[in-house]
Amino acid sequence: MNKLTFTPISYTGWGCLNQLLLEVEKFKANNILIITDPFLKELGLTDSIEKPLLDNGYSTTIYTDIAPEPPLAVGEKLVEFTRQNHFDLVIGLGGGSALDLTKLAAVLATHDGKVADYLNLTGTKSLENKGLPKILIPTTSGTGSEVTNISVLSLETTKDVVSHDYLLADVAIVDPALTISLPPKVTAATGVDALTHAIEAYVSVNANEVTDALALQAIKLISGSIRTAVNDGQNKQARSDMSYGSYLAGLAFFNAGVAGVHALAYPLGGQFHIAHGDSNAVLLPYVMGYIRQSCEKRMKDILDAMGISSAYLSQEEASYKCVDALKQLVQDVNIPSTLKGFNIPELALEQLTDDATKQTRILARSPMQLKREDIYTIYRAAFDGEVREPLLL
């Protein structure tokens, strides 16, 4: 038996933002907090959210004091602000960081203590109620935060999460029209992030028939459209495919989980403040190359989903070709393909390894058990730019 969890209400498709007012009315809220990325406010994108609310008599506050890969202190400040101002509804608009912080603020607004008290690795408190209602509206095609129950925060050298089904959105609105203005660099990073979600969900030890279907379709949509979306951001079909792919990948990894790539990516973001999507992208070929022997059949399926036929290849041959295809895709969207490309010093590999080994919740889902020496070898491979495999499986 498989337990599957989904956001209660999701709208997807071009122009579906027009459903926002209808959903807000259901909550009978008066005082609404809108959490968003500061540059989205500068672009005027928040007007499409706020104006209909103001025109219909709602009181709104726009909060933009957030940051990419948000540090714990940013979360603490936002939660305190939310508690003090007695909001009835929280709306998140933006990338994964804005949406993660929205979930955090909505739930912890009705709890006591610090955010740190609820962290997965070190917290001592448990969430007791759902908190304020929340509507999540992504403006990137990547994180899947709108359909997951986690909020990721950066610590001094790594990352940790607050995780509970109470963090699930009441409503997710996934409108690809909101991604049109996304710059190529962000389109690439968030897009490979979504692809990583789908791939890791497909090879996860917790995968099942439902998550497999979601993951493979996500891989097909993302790998078939990401290059166009990066090079021609106005392409409506590419943006739609990326949006749907990201949404499906989010559903897949929320229910099946991610593994080695994310476990090793968290310390990169924590120590060097590399965007989460870039961290995943630079590690993806090296992690998949290292664990290849444990999931050859599934990597053959991934290759086919990427639109590269494996009809005349053995599982082993196809799995090697899949690693090559992933490495090529990362290069094609102009993301550095080595840790050197992100100016990561060689001396950092040991500390990165130490921090990655602490991500036991995530590592447990890998089809191959990754011990400390394995993790170091993968970081070394990503530093040198040479895919490596374990000596013995």
Side-chain angles (χ1 to χ4, degrees):
M1 181 181 73
N2 300 305
K3 179 182 179 290
L4 299 167
T5 306
F6 298 97
T7 296
I9 298 174
S10 293
Y11 292 96
T12 62
W14 203 272
C16 69
L17 183 61
N18 62 13
Q19 298 299 308
L20 174 62
L21 190 58
L22 173 68
E23 290 300 327
V24 168
E25 290 171 350
K26 295 178 182 178
F27 294 109
K28 303 187 186 308
N30 294 309
N31 191 18
I32 301 173
L33 173 62
I34 301 171
I35 299 170
T36 191
D37 299 293
F39 74 90
L40 294 182
K41 189 173 189 299
E42 293 173 9
L43 288 174
L45 200 56
T46 52
D47 294 345
S48 60
I49 304 293
E50 188 179 35
K51 189 176 186 305
L53 298 175
L54 294 175
D55 289 348
N56 283 270
Y58 294 100
S59 173
T60 64
T61 300
I62 296 181
Y63 187 97
T64 62
D65 193 7
I66 66 174
E69 315 299 320
L72 178 60
V74 171
E76 299 281 13
K77 183 178 179 181
L78 171 59
V79 166
E80 188 58 33
F81 177 84
T82 310
R83 287 171 177 168
Q84 291 177 355
N85 288 277
H86 307 291
F87 295 105
D88 307 311
L89 171 68
V90 187
I91 298 175
L93 174 73
S97 296
L99 301 189
D100 278 9
L101 288 170
T102 298
K103 293 186 283 190
L104 195 71
V107 175
L108 291 186
T110 59
H111 289 76
D112 60 10
K114 298 289 188 180
V115 175
D117 296 331
Y118 298 90
L119 290 173
N120 174 67
L121 295 177
T122 57
T124 57
K125 288 181 176 290
S126 299
L127 297 175
E128 298 176 352
N129 62 76
K130 190 177 178 182
L132 304 175
K134 48 199 170 298
I135 298 175
L136 301 182
I137 308 170
T139 59
T140 67
S141 297
T143 69
S145 179
E146 70 277 5
V147 292
T148 67
N149 69 353
I150 61 174
S151 177
V152 184
L153 295 163
S154 295
L155 307 181
E156 287 187 8
T157 60
T158 187
K159 294 184 179 183
D160 201 354
V161 302
V162 178
S163 177
H164 194 285
D165 281 355
Y166 288 149
L167 271 73
L168 280 171
D170 294 277
V171 179
I173 299 177
V174 186
D175 188 340
L178 296 174
T179 68
I180 284 289
S181 60
L182 206 61
K185 183 174 175 17
V186 182
T187 299
T190 56
V192 180
D193 187 18
L195 181 64
T196 304
H197 292 154
I199 289 171
E200 290 214 281
Y202 191 64
V203 301
S204 167
V205 297
N206 295 332
N208 59 66
E209 290 82 357
V210 176
T211 60
D212 285 351
L214 294 167
L216 287 176
Q217 182 64 8
I219 293 167
K220 177 182 178 180
L221 288 169
I222 295 166
S223 61
S225 59
I226 187 170
R227 293 172 176 87
T228 301
V230 169
N231 295 317
D232 178 14
Q234 299 295 313
N235 188 297
K236 184 175 178 178
Q237 187 61 55
R239 288 297 191 185
S240 294
D241 287 350
M242 288 297 297
S243 184
Y244 280 119
S246 173
Y247 175 74
L248 294 173
L251 294 175
F253 95 82
F254 174 44
N255 285 282
V258 289
V261 179
H262 277 73
L264 273 67
Y266 277 178
L268 276 183
Q271 291 186 37
F272 296 99
H273 308 292
I274 299 172
H276 179 61
D278 285 333
S279 298
N280 277 333
V282 71
L283 291 168
L284 178 61
Y286 303 103
V287 173
M288 297 308 296
Y290 193 83
I291 69 170
R292 181 196 60 77
Q293 297 172 62
S294 68
C295 50
E296 286 183 351
K297 169 63 171 65
R298 295 219 150 213
M299 290 184 70
K300 189 173 189 289
D301 297 339
I302 291 168
L303 184 68
D304 286 327
M306 292 180 71
I308 303 171
S309 176
S310 68
Y312 300 102
L313 301 175
S314 67
Q315 289 183 13
E316 182 182 30
E317 290 168 336
S319 66
Y320 278 119
K321 192 166 185 176
C322 180
V323 174
D324 291 340
L326 293 174
K327 194 168 187 179
Q328 186 63 54
L329 184 147
V330 171
Q331 292 175 351
D332 287 349
V333 296
N334 303 312
I335 296 175
S337 58
T338 68
L339 295 183
K340 289 179 184 176
F342 286 99
N343 298 315
I344 306 299
E346 185 175 2
L347 290 174
L349 299 184
E350 290 285 355
Q351 185 62 53
L352 287 170
T353 301
D354 289 341
D355 288 340
T357 58
K358 298 174 185 176
Q359 298 294 334
T360 54
R361 176 183 64 93
I362 304 175
L363 289 169
R365 305 183 191 121
S366 174
M368 176 189 291
Q369 183 181 9
L370 296 175
K371 299 178 180 178
R372 189 188 190 282
E373 56 267 29
D374 300 309
I375 293 170
Y376 180 83
T377 300
I378 295 170
Y379 277 131
R380 167 60 66 179
F383 182 83
D384 294 334
E386 298 176 0
V387 175
R388 293 191 174 95
E389 296 188 1
L391 296 177
L392 293 172
L393 182 59

